[in-house]
Amino acid sequence: MKAQYLVTAIGGDIGSSVVRCLSKEFSKERLTGCDITPYVSGYSHVGDFFLAPPYKEEKKYIDVLLYECKKRSITHILPMTEGEIKIFDKYREVFAEEGLKIMINSSNILKIAFSKYDTAKAVKRMGLNSPKTWKCGDCIDGTIYPVIIKPDTGCGSRDIRVVRDFQEYKTLISQASDAVVQEYIGTSEEEYTVGVFSDGKEVKEIAFRRTLGFGGMSRMVELVEDESIHFIAETVAAFFELKGALNLQMRKQKGEYYIFEINPRISSTVGFRYRLGFKDIKWWLDLLDGKTEKIVYTPEKPPVVGIRTLDEKIFKGDLQMEKVSIEKKTENISLGGGKI
C-alpha cells in the first residue's frame, strides 16, 4: 500500500508551502490537508481535505485526527504549527499505537528549542555564539541597551519589543509574562535563516540572508555560502543528535554569527529551499520510512535571490457545509479509547 500523507494547518504559510512541495513528489490523491477553516491557500494542492478542531481543544483535536486518519488510511502526519507539534509530542504513543508515523523531532530537541532561554543556554554549551539572555527578573539597571523583550515560547515576530532604556524596560517588564530579555545583536540587514537536515550520519544545510515582510515571514532571501555556517550547522546537529530537520535564526555582528532562535520544525523558507534542491521535507519522510540512501544534494552557488509573492484564491461552492458538520461529527467520535 502506498503511503498517505496528512499535512496540518495548510492555511498557514508553512503548511501551504509544504503541500506545494509535496505535490511535486506525490500525486494529489496521496495528500490530505486539514485546518480549522475551509478557506485555505493549500486547498488546491491536496486530493482530500477535512476540518479539524483547534489544537487547544486537545482531546477533540486528537480524536478527530485519529478518526479522519483511519477513515482515509493515512500513514504519515506532518504537523506544521508549534502548538500542534507539542500535542503530538505529548501523545506520541497514542498515534504510534494506531500505526501513524509523525514527522516531529525528539522530545529533547523540542523541550530545549521551544524555550528561547533554554536555547541560549544550550548554544553556549555547544561553544557557539548566542545573545546574552536573561529571565525578566534577572535583568538589572546595568544592562547595556538596547535589549529585546520577547516571549520565552512561541515563534515569529509578534510580541517582540526593542527596549532602549531602563525606564522603558521597567514599564514593559511589568506587563510581560513568560518573557525573556535578550541582548540586541547586529541589524535587521544582517539576519540569517539556516535550514539544517541530518539523517544521523551526514548533515546538510542551506543558508539565506533574509529580509522580513508581512507577519514576520521572509519576504526576500539571498543565498549565502559560508564555511562558518557549515560548522555551526554540524555543531548543532551533533549536539542534538539530530535525525530530521530544524531551522536556525541568526544575526551577524563584527563577523560573528549569533544564534538567537532554533525552530525545531520545517520553517517558512521550505519553498525557497525546495526550489534550490534542498528537499528536507522529502528527506525527512524517507528517514521515517527507514530509507538509507545517501542524500543527493548539489548546492547552488551564489548569487541567488528569492522573493515571496502574493496571490489570490477564489472558493466556489458551499464549503461551509463541511464546517457545520464538524460538531455533529465529533459527537459520535470515540477513538480515544480512554488513552487520553
Side-chain angles (χ1 to χ4, degrees), residues 131-173:
K132 294 178 182 177
T133 304
W134 306 266
K135 291 187 176 178
C136 285
D138 299 335
C139 192
I140 59 174
D141 196 357
T143 299
I144 299 174
Y145 294 91
V147 295
I148 295 175
I149 295 180
K150 61 172 71 172
D152 183 42
T153 58
C155 58
S157 57
R158 292 184 305 170
D159 302 321
I160 295 178
R161 300 291 297 272
V162 179
V163 179
R164 304 193 179 281
D165 58 52
F166 183 60
Q167 189 59 45
E168 186 181 9
Y169 166 77
K170 285 198 301 182
T171 301
L172 290 175
I173 212 66

Side-chain angles (χ1 to χ4, degrees), residues 14 31 43 55 63 68 78 84 92 104 139 149 161 203 233 249 262 279 291 305 309 320 322 324 332 335:
I14 301 175
L31 302 178
Y43 196 94
Y55 69 83
D63 283 347
E68 298 291 356
L78 290 68
E84 289 173 315
R92 284 177 189 263
I104 59 175
C139 192
I149 295 180
R161 300 291 297 272
V203 179
Q249 303 294 332
I262 298 176
K279 300 184 178 183
K291 295 181 180 178
V305 172
T309 58
Q320 285 292 345
E322 171 76 8
V324 171
N332 300 316
L335 287 180

